[in-house]
Amino acid sequence: MNMINIKVAAIEQVTPLVKHFTFVNKDGTALPAFSGGSHVVVSLDINGRVHRNPYSLMGSPEDTSAYHISVRKQEKSRGGSEYMHENVAVGMQFKITYPVNLFSLAKKGRKHILIAGGIGITPFMSQIADLKRTGADYELHYAFRSPEHGAFVSELEQGCGTKFHCYTDSNGERLNLDELLSQQPLGTHVYVCGPNSMVVAVLEKARNFGWPENHIHSEQFLAPPIGEPFKMQLARSNKEILVPAEMSMLEAIEAAGVEADFLCRGGVCGRCELQVLETDGALMHNDHFLTDAEKASCKKIMPCVSRAKCERLVLDI
Amino acid sequence: MERGYWIRSKPVYTSLMWQEKATSHLVVAQGSGGMAVLKIFQQMHPKQPITVLYAPSSDSIVDYASTLKKVVPEGLQLFDSVQEMLTTLKEILPTMYMGMRVYVAGSEGFIWTIAESAKEFGIEDIDMIKELTGTLARSIYCVHCKAITHNITTNIGKCAGCERMLFVRDHFSRRLGAYMGLMVDAESPGQLPEIEEIYP
Ligand code: FES
């Protein structure tokens, strides 16, 4: 896979749990162009093991002199976010993928309602830059736990003015989805990024009010869960490998030197899909991509987030 | 027609059915489409507000306006022409909210006239429930002179613009609300296959 070599130019502690990283091209030239809502996958070599995590680009798409990402330190991290917080320093170099957009704004939308929860604010930061540039009608609704966890609030207040609404949970402020989604003009699109409960609530509410599917957008990268170790066979590469408890199938495949496709590494894009040739146990599908019927058929698996509980698993790679 | 073969641009029409999940309902019909409106009002009425717009059509012998007045409990507006209806539609749509369901019934030309107006307000045609009533007659656009000829009921029709004999295809332009028409006798002028009525 084609990668970009970057250098960490700045690090800023934004909230007790969130750090903002600024990346520049290692050779000092401009970085590839991107559109609002794009993400990159950051590749980190931690004690000889390669970690690859997706992060949304937060900067303005008009500025390609640097990329900006924010990382929330996860409590049950498999190491990636903790490493970013504890070990990454200004001047360090690593590789990232080219930006990919799986959460783009609907070009024909007449109005855009953006709903963010916590660190889910990041993809909206670049989208807002796009919305402001095109003069589109939008509203940003941002909910977070308590005042000290409201990352980028003052920046957003300044940049978005009355279009910005925030809800501090510890002050008892709640976003009223009924009010928000029942009275939007025709041609409005809704976008949500945040914790699972929030994403589910927004999707359900919009659907119940009769919003067409193509007006409802969500982004929720899943972190690969930690599980039991298991063995799998890669038929085309003729290899048998072990998937350790803290590695995803995709990471194990890559660690074995086999090249595999991916875009989001979070179970949403579908790019990493592999055919299951044989299995004698259960596949534990954790993705948001396959349909329930496909999951039940045990013929396909998304190795970036899913696992298996079996003695024998043969994949077509 | 070959089985399992489908032109993607060819529109799909169904029967009007209330969509339960909605904030309001807008039913728009012309001429014979009035029957589809009477049928949908035989189903259990949804609880959200309903608006019904109806205009008669010259190609439908029956004018359903008086029956609709008896059947539609609220929100019925009657018009003398589609033009008048469109003016009202353009006033109503900006006041409507997301979750409004749109139901359209009438001739193909009518359905796509409404779709074109609705599109300006961000409603896509796939999100509208469309019932084709009365006739299968097609409008065709001539790929040679760009003229549009209405009410073609046969496999081959004469272009109103350039008078070429056009074969009526299944390729449909949503923007024009018409099917593609291609000259039939380009290779052997004057030699026409049999002309049959297939869109009665
Ligand atoms: S890489 Fe996107 S679903 Fe696996």
Side-chain angles (χ1 to χ4, degrees), chain A residues 108 110 181-189 207-215, chain B residues 20-23 93-94 96-101 119-124 126-127:
Chain A
K108 290 195 199 134
R110 295 164 61 85
L181 298 179
S182 63
Q183 302 205 338
Q184 292 300 337
L186 297 176
T188 304
H189 286 250
R207 286 177 187 144
N208 280 335
F209 280 135
W211 288 51
E213 264 330 289
N214 52 359
H215 286 243
Chain B
E20 240 173 87
K21 296 178 174 174
T23 50
L93 291 179
M96 295 296 202
Y97 297 129
M98 280 302 288
M100 177 191 73
R101 298 289 189 151
K119 201 166 98 187
E120 285 170 38
F121 296 90
I123 303 170
E124 287 159 58
I126 44 161
D127 298 323

